[in-house]
Amino acid sequence: MVVHVGIDEKRAREICQEMNLQLRKDYSREALEIAHSRVNEFENKLMEKMAQVNGAMEAFTDPSFQLLLLEAQRIAAATERPADYDLLSELLVHRFNKGENRNARAGISLAVEIVDKVSDEALLALTVAHAVNSFFPMTGDIARGLDTLDSLFGKIIYHELPNGQEWLDHLDILNAVRINGLGSMKKLTQFYPEVLHGYIDVGILKDSDDHKKAVHILNENKIPPGILVEHILNQKFVRLEIAQKQNIKNITLSRQDLYSGKLVVNNLSEAQISALMEIYAMYSQDASIKNSNIDSFMLEWNKRPNLQNLMSWWDSISTAFNITSVGRVLAHSNAQRCDRDLPPMN
């Protein structure tokens, strides 16, 4: 009988120490003590995170992971910023999660190399910009959706956001962004209403023939009528309680089993998805009402201090830019450092 025993935290720490030995020749005796203290702090952060991911300890046996670990130790030894140890550990966890994806691995390796080079202000701005483009509320409830965004940016905006162009030039030098001098950024008053169109689209006039038809379609397809709610931006209309049209396919229906008493959750059938798509197609296309909804949406937006702060900063950016793969992985790892509930990067 052959028994295979997976690597444990003790052995993973031993591997860290073995890799750490290679750093000794790079430092004087005086600097070695400081470097050792910093690397130990990074190691503790890394072990804490890796232990929470099933099978992650096995990564320490991978030669390519060991090389990245060595580079991360070098960066940890060279940086005095405590947040960098957390950030480096997030990047190595991300490296394990991406497995054999070479494109992702390349971005992660380059991100590790610039952790100690990126300034506090630039890292914050990069993280916020990534969050704007990547994280959206799933709830169809408009007030709850805005509260979710307000809470997220309250965690991510952990310092005063930078002004001017310097932070962008800095990130461009590090290949975390690419500046497009000929373009301009979409203002948030345009961006979010386009992305969260399920909140903005007009809906169906209350008590109209279309409203009655929509209720009939719901009943016919055994979909609870409660999914059609009053539009809080215009109470004369009703809307499907979704943030985006494409979220329809992700809706689940729950019911309590009469025998076991347990809650049973089911995905929508293809017929039910088609029924909801048919109802969405019945929405009024009145442009003036939609514009009024956008105005009302932004009024709600500005009632939330973190969102108001975000819009003031974002709308002041005068130069268009794109976040590179290196910038995305660095920003996402930093965002997860700020909010552990965020999903892993795709």
Side-chain angles (χ1 to χ4, degrees):
M1 182 187 301
V2 177
V3 178
H4 175 72
V5 180
I7 191 170
D8 58 10
E9 183 178 332
K10 181 176 179 294
R11 178 55 189 146
R13 286 186 179 274
E14 289 173 353
I15 291 172
C16 284
Q17 293 305 312
E18 290 166 11
M19 304 304 293
N20 197 10
L21 288 174
Q22 300 182 48
L23 296 175
R24 292 182 180 275
K25 64 180 184 298
D26 297 333
Y27 301 102
S28 68
R29 185 182 62 193
E30 294 81 4
L32 187 60
E33 185 177 345
I34 297 173
H36 185 67
S37 173
R38 291 171 177 175
V39 171
N40 277 347
E41 188 170 348
F42 158 64
E43 180 185 313
N44 289 334
K45 296 280 187 182
L46 177 62
M47 290 303 161
E48 180 185 342
K49 289 180 170 64
M50 295 292 270
Q52 295 172 7
V53 181
N54 187 36
M57 291 298 178
E58 294 296 330
F60 287 92
T61 64
D62 179 2
S64 66
F65 185 86
Q66 289 186 3
L67 288 173
L68 185 62
L69 172 62
L70 179 60
E71 182 62 25
Q73 288 176 325
R74 285 192 177 120
I75 299 300
T79 182
E80 75 289 350
R81 188 168 53 188
D84 287 349
Y85 314 135
D86 218 357
L87 186 53
L88 286 166
S89 63
E90 288 287 353
L91 287 167
L92 264 67
V93 171
H94 188 50
R95 165 64 176 79
F96 166 74
N97 287 330
K98 283 304 175 183
E100 300 304 314
N101 187 324
R102 286 179 175 266
N103 290 333
R105 283 163 54 178
I108 294 165
S109 295
L110 292 171
V112 167
E113 291 177 11
I114 66 171
V115 163
D116 66 327
K117 299 177 180 67
V118 63
S119 70
D120 292 327
E121 295 80 7
L123 178 61
L124 171 60
L126 178 68
T127 304
V128 172
H130 171 71
V132 167
N133 288 287
S134 303
F135 304 130
F136 307 106
M138 293 297 294
T139 177
D141 185 302
I142 297 172
R144 283 177 55 202
L146 287 172
D147 287 343
T148 298
L149 283 175
D150 188 63
S151 174
L152 169 66
F153 286 105
K155 295 173 184 175
I156 289 178
I157 303 175
Y158 49 81
H159 196 270
E160 186 177 348
L161 287 159
N163 296 314
Q165 178 83 10
E166 187 177 345
W167 65 272
L168 259 180
D169 293 335
H170 178 61
L171 291 172
D172 189 64
I173 290 170
L174 295 174
N175 292 318
V177 304
R178 290 193 181 93
I179 294 175
N180 177 7
L182 300 177
S184 59
M185 304 293 288
K186 277 187 180 180
K187 303 299 184 184
L188 290 193
T189 49
Q190 180 184 1
F191 177 76
Y192 273 105
E194 288 179 0
V195 174
L196 301 176
H197 52 267
Y199 292 169
I200 302 299
D201 288 342
V202 176
I204 300 171
L205 186 65
K206 272 185 186 178
D207 301 323
S208 64
D209 289 341
D210 280 343
H211 186 187
K212 295 170 185 175
K213 182 180 178 182
V215 171
H216 175 73
I217 291 172
L218 292 175
N219 291 333
E220 199 173 46
N221 288 274
K222 297 180 180 177
I223 302 172
I227 196 173
L228 206 58
V229 297
E230 182 179 82
H231 204 316
I232 68 165
L233 303 180
N234 188 331
Q235 287 79 17
K236 295 179 180 179
F237 289 81
V238 293
R239 54 178 280 271
L240 292 172
E241 197 171 32
I242 52 173
Q244 299 168 311
K245 184 179 178 181
Q246 58 266 35
N247 288 351
I248 286 176
K249 63 180 182 296
N250 299 322
I251 293 173
T252 57
L253 300 178
S254 57
R255 62 178 178 82
Q256 192 167 31
D257 187 83
L258 294 175
Y259 297 101
S260 66
K262 293 181 179 178
L263 194 67
V264 180
V265 179
N266 294 310
N267 294 324
L268 293 181
S269 67
E270 289 298 323
Q272 289 172 323
I273 292 173
S274 296
L276 292 179
M277 288 291 190
E278 182 182 353
I279 291 174
Y280 204 99
M282 295 162 59
Y283 278 20
S284 168
Q285 300 301 312
D286 191 311
S288 63
I289 298 176
K290 186 171 182 177
N291 288 333
S292 176
N293 285 353
I294 292 173
D295 292 340
S296 298
F297 178 77
M298 297 317 299
L299 283 173
E300 290 296 319
W301 178 283
N302 284 315
K303 290 177 182 177
R304 293 157 174 85
N306 297 314
L307 296 185
Q308 189 178 42
N309 183 26
L310 170 67
M311 187 166 69
S312 176
W313 174 74
W314 183 273
D315 289 355
S316 72
I317 300 172
S318 58
T319 305
F321 64 93
N322 296 313
I323 302 176
T324 66
S325 59
V326 176
R328 278 195 299 274
V329 71
L330 187 62
H332 198 95
S333 297
N334 193 43
Q336 285 190 299
R337 184 182 68 82
C338 300
D339 187 348
R340 299 299 303 165
D341 293 329
L342 289 174
M345 190 171 177
N346 294 329

